[in-house]
Amino acid sequence: MPHADAARHERVFRKGASIHQPGNHGIAWRIAAGAVRLDRIEHDDAVFCGIAIAGDVIGTETLLTGHYASLATALTPCTLQPWVGGTPSPNELLQMLAQAEQRAGDLVNLRHGSADERIYRLLALLRRSQPRPDDRNSITLPSLRDIADITGLTVETSSRVLSRMRRNGLLGQRIKGAIQLVWPLSAPYPAFN
Amino acid sequence: MPHADAARHERVFRKGASIHQPGNHGIAWRIAAGAVRLDRIEHDDAVFCGIAIAGDVIGTETLLTGHYASLATALTPCTLQPWVGGTPSPNELLQMLAQAEQRAGDLVNLRHGSADERIYRLLALLRRSQPRPDDRNSITLPSLRDIADITGLTVETSSRVLSRMRRNGLLGQRIKGAIQLVWPLSAPYPAFN
DNA sequence: CGGGGTCTTGATCTCAATCAACCAATGTGG
DNA sequence: CCACATTGGTTGATTGAGATCAAGACCCCG
């Protein structure tokens, strides 16, 4: 297969890797697995402005303008697939619009309530970044820096909350590098000491 | 004109009025003027999940499902226009998608930084809910309850911040009912004592 | 008139920010 | 190969901004 088709293939990113940068030109991608952090560049520094997980499409601006509007970084190991050529159907776009609004709602909720609740909700969201439900009892944690930026906390409190969760058995020990075992995380918020 | 066309006309809502409720069926609306608060219903109570201002379209879910997904309430006096019949063009939808992402970014920023900064940013956003730039030096404030829910603060601190802003001359006195005069609000964040 | 909103302001308390130190792990260059 | 800096995570001590609790003012409305 000719290398001209290279951009057409699945791409994999390590945790922390930069996926695309504002101004660069490129195409839209569907996230097959993993979670992505989006930042706006505002007077010189990046400010967090969104999150996208498996199933979401990033870089749709490129269909309008040809280039990316935001900075995208891998929160966890990511697999991206180039998004279909040609103009997407109105129906498809309406679905994506609904999904974007849903994601926006999730987002503001990550900035609400106690530090424990916020991190708990973030973990619950990241859980869904595994495409196969079977894989959803273990997730790779983003860096503390990212966790802090997303939840509106500091790295220190984020670290403290996670330590406490490990101590209380909500999180399993770190196994195999950066992988974490997670326990309940099904429905509401936690309530431990 | 027959009354069957009634729903086709512009509708006006007073501050605090309910615009639509989840589950009801209806159409999508473009906000001609004013700002709208969106809430999800989560196990019995409404949780804030988004904001929409003049130029935004609300209720696009109805094009897919026929009924509204969220609760919409007028933050300020609002004028809504029924959104065009027929399927919207892909290009139009891509624009809306970009706008939705932009709005989501604005949203998380309303939950970041000190109480002063948050309220300041909210005022700056609400300023843009006046369609005519000429009208943008005076805005109607949402209720403290709404301000608090949006910024992730409490009504008490919201009240304190606004009082301080009035004292410092950032906001003019309340004239003509609920209308407020605003002074700078152009670019960055404030910095007063 | 009383009762239920919304707003305001004060007093107190608490949770998370801040400041600071320390420890791997990783990388860099002589 | 060992010094050395750098980066990410952890933990402790202290502080402060905002939450919480409480009370009073001022509507509007039945």
Side-chain angles (χ1 to χ4, degrees), chain B residues 101-185:
Chain B
E101 279 164 11
Q102 163 75 24
R103 194 68 65 241
D106 294 343
L107 209 51
V108 306
N109 276 295
L110 292 177
R111 297 234 175 163
H112 185 242
S114 70
D116 294 300
E117 292 171 314
R118 296 187 193 192
I119 301 235
Y120 187 88
R121 280 192 221 109
L122 175 59
L123 295 182
L125 181 64
L126 289 177
R127 230 166 83 98
R128 305 198 318 230
S129 67
Q130 292 297 341
R132 309 219 327 265
D134 314 4
D135 300 339
R136 289 187 186 163
N137 36 15
S138 105
I139 56 176
T140 303
L141 287 184
S143 75
L144 282 177
R145 175 77 266 136
D146 286 328
I147 294 180
D149 287 347
I150 294 170
T151 56
L153 303 168
T154 59
V155 292
E156 292 96 327
T157 45
S158 302
S159 171
R160 279 183 245 269
V161 169
L162 288 172
S163 300
R164 185 145 22 97
M165 285 182 170
R166 284 190 203 98
R167 230 177 291 126
N168 293 25
L170 192 57
L171 295 183
Q173 293 308 311
R174 193 170 314 194
I175 55 172
K176 202 74 175 144
I179 303 290
Q180 302 272 348
L181 271 185
V182 184
W183 280 349
L185 279 193

Side-chain angles (χ1 to χ4, degrees), chain B residues 7 20 27 47 71 77-78 83 85 89 104 114 130 134 145 148 189 191:
Chain B
H20 66 236
I27 62 170
V47 309
L71 171 65
C78 280
W83 202 47
S89 78
S114 70
Q130 292 297 341
D134 314 4
R145 175 77 266 136
Y189 19 88

Side-chain angles (χ1 to χ4, degrees), chain A residues 114-115 154 157 160:
Chain A
S114 71
T154 59
T157 46
R160 279 184 244 269

Side-chain angles (χ1 to χ4, degrees), chain B residues 22 39-47 69-71:
Chain B
D39 288 85
R40 273 184 208 170
I41 306 301
E42 240 160 49
H43 29 82
D44 244 27
D45 38 22
V47 309
S70 59
L71 171 65

